Amino acid sequence: MKRAFLLLAATAALSACATAPPKAPSADPGRAALVGAASMDSQRDIVLAVANPIDPPAMHAGSSLLGYAPSKFYGAGQRAAATLEALKRSYGMREVTGWPIKALELYCVVLKPPPGMSREALLNALAGDNRVQLAQPLHDYSVYTSGPPAPQDNDPYTTLQRGFIETDAALAHRFSEGDGVRVAIVDTGVDAAHPDLQGRIHDMHNMVDGNAATFNRDGHGTEVAGVIAADGDNHRGIVGMAPKATLSIYKACWYPAAAQAGARCNTFTLAKALAAIIDTDARIVNLSLGGPADPLLDKLLVHILEDGRIVVAAMPPDGSVDGFPVDAPGVIAVRVSDVAAALPGVVSAPGNDILTTQPGGGYDFTSGSSMAAPHVSGIAALLLSLSPRLDAHAIHQLLLRSSKVSDGMLQVNAASAVEALRGKQQATR
């Protein structure tokens, strides 16, 4: 079965019409782009932040939906630079890389403890230093997938898309396809050359190593992107939950050299991605990944949520809600709908045997909460396209109230969510 899919997909890829390519992945300015995240040691390195105050940006014509007015890039101000140098001298730490977080008025660095000093001892010492705004371990994170195992009825594999069918997405597309909604995907990179993602990707950024090469081997992000926004009505492959939405890709995860190893991320790469999203008008953030609680990442999530954005996160395989990002209030946590009973407020969505896009123009099945979360992000895009002022709480409640039983399981339903929103809109007119 898998071989047939790949052969069919290869044929489709060869016959694909040429379209305007998305913008090339961009290398961030500053020292951070020069250091590969894969070389960092999550068992020993720390993340430290010092105050880096900036003047408030002037508002001007062209501000985004969320009121953001882009400003010039800034790095470490004189005060931050002096503080960091003094701290490094005081404690004998060695800097790996540094980057500014404008939204929090902080400058962050990844540091190595001095030889002979444990990370715990260094963090304890820094906790009592009033020059330090934040000091914490560099944490590791991973993606949640187990790997490969209607209006769009001209897309040949639509009938094999379990999630698309079970959520009645084709019915929802009569009223909304996600037009005008930007979804930020924080994940591995995405194969932008995939025929079913042509025209759907607005911009791409590499937070891992600054390499501007294409992401044509990054499987996990390509899978997530296909579930959310694979092109519809193009006579090839599949169709996404919100096929008219556009995607912003933030590569914060990478594949270790070990064979069959899953993608991993860390505090450094995720913080850079979340900080960059704050400077955009993306309304939805998909996080099909997770790991331990993290003070810096939590600060950034709070800022993103307070901006009125919707953050959708995959539940860990063990069902825990104690780590990043599912432990942040306001985040929409998503589990696979055919596992044990969910906790109150957790959204259920299809996540097993999900057919989606693969690098190299192919298609295959994959499973995990990493695939459940983008189904919810796609439905959120359908709703925002109809009602752009919806906030995370309203969408969360709408998803829960409109969930339906499908094949014996209660899970989100795109058609009933759209119908409920349209009914509410008509009742208020």
Side-chain angles (χ1 to χ4, degrees), residues 25-215:
S26 61
D28 286 0
R31 292 173 291 172
L34 304 178
V35 178
S39 67
M40 297 176 189
D41 184 358
S42 63
Q43 300 303 307
R44 183 158 173 78
D45 294 350
I46 71 166
V47 176
L48 181 144
V50 297
N52 192 33
I54 58 172
D55 294 328
M59 296 300 293
H60 55 75
S63 294
S64 74
L65 170 68
L66 300 177
Y68 168 71
S71 61
K72 295 180 180 179
F73 170 79
Y74 81 107
Q78 185 175 4
R79 172 183 166 185
T83 301
L84 284 172
E85 288 304 314
L87 285 167
K88 287 188 287 185
R89 286 195 303 270
S90 297
Y91 296 93
M93 302 176 293
R94 180 168 66 84
E95 181 176 346
V96 178
T97 189
W99 77 106
I101 300 181
K102 180 174 56 182
L104 302 181
E105 296 194 10
L106 296 176
Y107 195 84
C108 294
V109 287
V110 176
L111 297 162
K112 292 188 177 297
M117 187 178 195
S118 70
R119 179 163 72 177
E120 291 70 23
L122 177 59
L123 289 173
N124 287 336
L126 291 169
D129 195 315
N130 58 16
R131 296 172 293 180
V132 176
Q133 298 293 309
L134 177 148
Q136 63 170 75
L138 176 75
H139 289 132
D140 259 348
Y141 297 85
S142 59
V143 299
Y144 298 143
T145 184
S146 60
Q152 281 77 32
D153 59 5
N154 66 41
D155 297 288
Y157 302 157
T158 304
T159 56
L160 300 172
Q161 289 184 255
R162 176 182 175 184
F164 186 85
I165 294 171
E166 290 183 0
T167 62
D168 294 324
L171 296 176
H173 288 180
R174 296 177 181 177
F175 305 102
S176 175
E177 295 185 7
D179 307 58
V181 178
R182 181 84 56 81
V183 181
I185 297 176
V186 180
D187 211 285
T188 68
V190 171
D191 182 5
H194 196 291
D196 243 345
L197 297 175
Q198 293 291 304
R200 303 272 47 87
I201 299 176
H202 180 271
D203 53 284
M204 296 172 42
H205 311 269
N206 189 343
M207 304 304 181
V208 173
D209 55 17
N211 187 346
T214 56
F215 304 145

Side-chain angles (χ1 to χ4, degrees), residues 168-178 379-388 390 394-395 398-399 401-402 413-429:
D168 294 324
L171 296 176
H173 288 180
R174 296 177 181 177
F175 305 102
S176 175
E177 295 185 7
I379 296 175
L382 301 181
L383 299 173
L384 281 178
S385 183
L386 292 172
S387 182
L390 287 174
I395 286 182
L398 189 55
L399 289 169
R401 290 198 307 269
S402 63
N413 187 279
S416 61
V418 167
E419 181 182 6
L421 176 61
R422 294 182 71 245
K424 182 177 180 181
Q425 289 175 325
Q426 293 170 358
T428 58
R429 288 175 182 171

